[in-house]
Amino acid sequence: MNGAESLVHTLLGAGVDVCFANPGTSEMHFVAALDRIPGMRCVLGLQENVVTGMADGYFRMARKPAATLLHCGPGLANGLANLHNARRARSGIVNCVGDQASYHRPLDAQLTADTEGFARGVSAWTRTVARAEDVGRDAAVAVQAARTSPGQISTLILPSDTCWDEAPGGPAAALPIPAAPQADPLAIRNAARALRDRSNVLILLGGLALTGEAQALAWRVAQATGATVMAEMSNGRVERGQGRLMLERVPYPVDLAIEALKPFTTIILVNAKAPVGFFAYPGKPSRHHREDADVLPLTRYEADPIQALTALADELGAPQAALPDPGPRPEAARGAPTPEGLARTLAALMPEDTVVADESVSFGRGFFAATHAAPRHDWLQITGGAIGCGIPLATGAAIGAPGRRVVNLQADGSGMYTLQGLWTQAREKLPVTTIVLSNRKYAILLGEYRGVGANPGRTAMDMMDLGNPDLNWVKLAEGMGVEAAKTSTLEGCADLMKQSFAKDGPFVIELEI
């Protein structure tokens, strides 16, 4: 057994049975091992940032890591943007990155790079394998790191000779997964005291605390104490719709965020951090909560929020509390596209258990309010601000949640970063409906220009314009093997959504806004 075969057997033994791949010469023995050893689903991406984004979406839905197969330092570097997003989403991923053979590396051939340096910025755990006999052991540790709560990125760098050399001892057994930490009893008592004694308390949920079960516990606490419950600005996965809490998130625009948080003199953090701005703006605070607010951490990102919130509710003697009724499912909207109209149309038509992958950027900031009464669904957001995540995220989510419809709300400019993901959707016959919000401009940058107090002129406006020539998403999608159609009305979008939901494979709707 060579090192590559040892790697595949170790991954499969540890429960990693999906590999998102864009391989090169250094990985050919790994590819050959995948061919010989049954059990690993291999999904090809046409660019590495598609590969890493798919692995992110897969983990968010499957709650277990996939492997990526990337070619040397430059291949890893191509995937860094969506690894950055995955790190912010706290997704578990096992990156397997090929490298120059150990004896070839000192010759400084053209693809030689600081692969470990590239990896460290996005990885919780990084290791370069020294010998073929170490591959199984190191792979087992990589999976253990990736599965450590709430999910981490591990990067295993494999010089090509460690894959083709014989590996005495073969694969390694799966290592135990560390249990999620429990909340500090003192933190629970402090939070309970604040909730009893103070008014204007905010319970801020993030990460693992955004499941339906955790939301219900937070609502139980809030109902007993008069507290308010909100979600962080950017979240890897929120369980939403009928039967879940009508949860709003901290707004993105700085003025709206400050206004939303102004009433709260105490903020209790549950797998969340105190709200700060996405960027700094001249003359505006970086922290969006009140300067005199008391910030009390209940649980860190890696901790078990169910245990903590249950203990907090018990400490308070909080009775069971029914979640508020969001009311009837809305009717599909008609007329020219608006954010509220599109949100209502989506809520009216989405199937039960839809997964929404949201990279709508500026157009979609108000989508939550109009979708509370939608059927039960999951909502995945861009978490790290590196645009180009939407199409790969939706693709990976469809593989991580088989049988569920995925709707990708996709801004046109950011969609062009990883358009190749549509090809993978067609190849894998995935049930993904992509709604491209086609305004032919980087609309978010126009708002950011105003936010920093600048006055754009002709040159600046040209750099934010995606016209001349216009993007044609129907032809782009068809060129990737995906059926597509264009509309400029919400009723047209509704008709196309219904058609797409009846299909087994992917479909792209270009919605001119």
Side-chain angles (χ1 to χ4, degrees):
M1 178 181 295
N2 64 23
E5 292 164 336
S6 171
L7 173 62
V8 175
H9 280 298
T10 300
L11 292 174
L12 288 170
V16 178
D17 55 9
V18 174
C19 179
F20 297 102
N22 187 272
T25 302
S26 300
E27 298 77 52
M28 286 299 99
H29 282 78
F30 188 10
V31 173
L34 291 168
D35 200 36
R36 290 191 294 270
I37 301 167
M40 184 74 73
R41 179 177 181 180
C42 299
V43 180
L44 180 62
L46 298 184
Q47 205 267 0
E48 292 89 349
N49 211 31
V50 174
V51 169
T52 55
M54 289 191 294
D56 181 14
Y58 176 85
F59 179 86
R60 295 198 203 187
M61 296 310 303
R63 299 306 304 169
K64 67 174 187 174
T68 68
L69 177 53
L70 304 169
H71 182 42
C72 293
L76 171 63
N78 279 343
L80 288 181
N82 275 329
L83 287 174
H84 167 79
N85 287 326
R87 182 176 70 89
R88 289 295 186 179
R90 291 161 186 88
S91 293
I93 299 173
V94 180
N95 293 315
C96 298
V97 185
D99 204 357
Q100 301 283 7
S102 56
Y103 57 83
H104 193 67
R105 185 174 179 82
L107 302 179
D108 195 27
Q110 284 84 343
L111 265 176
T112 306
D114 183 8
T115 309
E116 280 198 15
F118 294 160
R120 287 194 188 101
V122 294
S123 305
W125 181 96
T126 303
R127 182 174 297 172
T128 299
V129 180
R131 304 169 300 175
E133 63 196 75
D134 300 332
V135 170
R137 178 201 67 190
D138 291 348
V141 178
V143 176
Q144 182 186 52
R147 297 189 69 178
T148 298
S149 181
Q152 300 184 134
I153 297 172
S154 60
T155 301
L156 186 66
I157 301 165
L158 297 135
S160 53
D161 52 325
T162 67
C163 288
W164 68 53
D165 284 350
E166 287 298 305
L175 296 173
I177 307 305
Q182 304 291 286
D184 185 340
L186 179 60
I188 293 169
R189 288 196 296 272
N190 287 341
R193 185 180 303 112
L195 286 159
R196 284 193 200 99
D197 298 345
R198 305 177 191 176
S199 57
N200 302 323
V201 178
L202 172 65
I203 302 172
L204 186 63
L205 306 181
L208 296 173
L210 291 168
T211 64
E213 183 181 5
Q215 292 174 35
L217 286 164
W219 180 248
R220 179 180 159 195
V221 170
Q223 284 297 96
T225 61
T228 299
V229 185
M230 294 181 71
E232 287 191 291
M233 178 197 303
S234 302
N235 301 284
R237 176 180 175 182
V238 186
E239 295 185 356
R240 304 185 68 248
Q242 296 283 349
R244 275 80 178 260
L245 188 59
M246 292 187 291
L247 197 62
E248 288 296 331
R249 58 186 179 129
V250 175
Y252 173 96
V254 56
D255 293 333
L256 294 181
I258 291 170
E259 186 65 24
L261 296 171
K262 186 167 62 176
F264 304 113
T265 55
T266 303
I267 302 175
I268 296 173
L269 304 177
V270 189
N271 295 70
K273 64 179 287 186
V276 299
F278 220 89
F279 299 102
Y281 297 94
K284 297 185 179 181
S286 291
R287 291 184 175 86
H288 288 172
H289 57 79
R290 295 167 50 142
E291 289 186 7
D292 61 347
D294 191 10
V295 178
L296 302 177
L298 180 69
T299 47
R300 293 168 58 89
Y301 283 117
E302 66 272 15
D304 179 358
I306 304 301
Q307 174 268 333
L309 288 167
T310 301
L312 179 59
D314 292 345
E315 178 81 12
L316 291 163
Q320 296 295 327
L323 293 173
D325 182 359
R329 189 173 181 175
E331 298 289 329
R334 302 179 64 82
T338 64
E340 298 76 16
L342 179 57
R344 289 200 308 273
T345 301
L346 177 63
L349 300 177
M350 72 164 70
E352 187 85 18
D353 286 329
T354 289
V355 179
V356 179
D358 182 6
E359 196 180 21
S360 55
V361 194
S362 54
F363 193 79
R365 287 176 183 163
F367 280 173
F368 271 29
T371 52
H372 289 311
R376 180 187 299 257
H377 62 278
D378 290 284
W379 201 288
L380 317 182
Q381 294 177 284
I382 178 172
T383 49
I387 65 173
C389 72
I391 293 173
L393 194 68
T395 308
I399 294 171
R404 296 175 64 175
R405 170 61 53 175
V406 178
V407 176
N408 174 202
L409 302 172
Q410 182 60 61
D412 56 352
S414 53
M416 290 301 295
Y417 279 54
T418 46
L419 174 69
Q420 306 94 322
L422 295 176
W423 181 88
T424 301
Q425 293 177 15
R427 181 184 177 100
E428 299 291 326
K429 299 179 174 60
L430 299 175
V432 180
T433 300
T434 301
I435 303 174
V436 178
L437 307 171
S438 181
N439 61 6
R440 299 182 178 86
K441 60 175 67 75
Y442 289 124
I444 190 170
L445 294 184
L446 295 172
E448 295 300 320
Y449 220 110
R450 291 189 294 270
V452 298
N455 183 25
R458 175 61 185 272
T459 299
M461 294 299 292
D462 283 348
M463 286 192 288
M464 301 173 201
D465 176 33
L466 302 182
N468 189 32
D470 288 343
L471 300 172
N472 188 324
W473 274 90
V474 173
K475 289 184 177 180
L476 289 168
E478 290 173 347
M480 296 287 171
V482 176
E483 188 178 354
K486 180 186 295 186
T487 184
S488 59
T489 66
L490 286 171
E491 55 265 40
C493 185
D495 289 342
L496 292 171
M497 287 169 68
K498 286 184 280 190
Q499 291 177 40
S500 74
F501 294 162
K503 297 177 181 292
D504 294 330
F507 193 91
V508 168
I509 301 168
E510 181 177 0
L511 178 62
E512 296 180 311
I513 59 173

